[in-house]
Amino acid sequence: MHVTVYDRARFLQLAVLALAVTLFLLPKVADTATRFWFGLGTPARALVAITLSIGSLSAMLSASPRLGALEIALLLQLVVFFLVVGGAVRQLGARSDGAIAVAACAAAALFVMKFWTTQLIYLAEGKQFSWVAPFLEFANVRFFSQYQSYTLLLLVLPAILFRLNWRWRALVYFVAASFWSLQWMVGTRSVWAGLVAALVIVLIFAGRGRMRWMRDQLLLVLAGGAIALAASILVFSQPQATPVPKKISILERGEYSTNERVTMLTAAFRLIREHPLLGIGPGQFGLVYSETRAAHPHNTPVQLVTEYGVIAGGAAVGLGALLFLFAVATLRRNRSQHVDGVATTLSAALIMGLVDSVFSGNLIMPHSQVMLCVLAAWLVGREFRRSDVDIPSSRVRRASTALQSAALAAVAITTILGISYYDAIQAMPGIAQVWVPHFWQFGRFDAW
């Protein structure tokens, strides 16, 4: 059996994180990233340490230490990735803003172009468009919506950062509106909840110019809805066309998903009561829970406390809360001045993604994990440009060495266990492909 789309995304993520660890071995990168680590402050560093240390204990004492080890090793690599990106943003200044903004917009443009080009070619040739591969896998909850929650608001940044002429500005806005059109077609309700939360917080806390920022974003949302409506009339209504399947259309979902989430949360709270201190083990919700097909409770804070326990899980939730509050504080910091369009956009995008995670559990997904780290490091790194972290070089070197050693061990763990998983799934029957993911595609499977 071949590796699934989800597994390929996870392997790609692990390769990216391994590259970040490799960069972290370079002396200058290590120095910059470690100073960024010290600049985070004692509360944030303590929460990271508690999550990793007690989470490791939870993994060792769990029913599947291998799955637990994978999760902890991944978490450590994500921390290093965050430090490398944040250090680079702080060091490179405005150049990093443009590079990351263009990358996000180009990625959206590539997907939009591929989606509509394939759809129209199939329509012209009279073929049945396949929403299953790759578009259903990318467009439904597993990929697209949970990636969108962190990126939809970012797509206007090239227009904010660069003095674009009207042609380039129109192209940027078209890409953003087209990306929103796919959210209208197949997006999740949790993304809309995240958008509402982000807009309300910007309205309350941002400075002068926030109404213009909100107007521009809302116009893109409405333009995306218009594109989706036009596509349903002009494209999807053609006899040979394949409209959005009802099972993934945002307009066709009933109360089933809501009731399913209530069932998952009820089970999760029961597990918390039964395993309060160390939880059931990182990454192991799917091994214990079987009342629905889900391998995670679709709520990131509840998942973390269920799997890591009250102490480590609570520390991880605390980190998310610190990021949320930092985003709000960033909006408030320049309240008396004209709004900083980049800082406002990054803060709103971070809030939107975190709120979405409460309803979708998006942080088990590889792309969402990476985007959270990029967004958080980008926002925090921009704010750190204003100050220097005066730490003795000897202390920085000791901390760098400790982080480098732990990160290399984490890469070794994910590589060894990833190869073991890859070898094991080659002999799996085809029926196993319907299993739902947690770390790997086979979220209820640990016999490898």
Side-chain angles (χ1 to χ4, degrees), residues 383-402:
E383 294 301 310
F384 278 14
R385 291 174 189 170
R386 304 174 183 175
S387 60
D388 191 21
V389 183
D390 187 17
I391 304 294
S393 297
S394 58
R395 187 181 178 192
V396 171
R397 285 195 298 271
R398 289 195 300 270
S400 295
T401 301

Side-chain angles (χ1 to χ4, degrees), residues 85-99:
V85 175
V89 169
R90 181 173 174 271
Q91 189 77 15
L92 296 175
R95 288 176 293 173
S96 60
D97 292 341

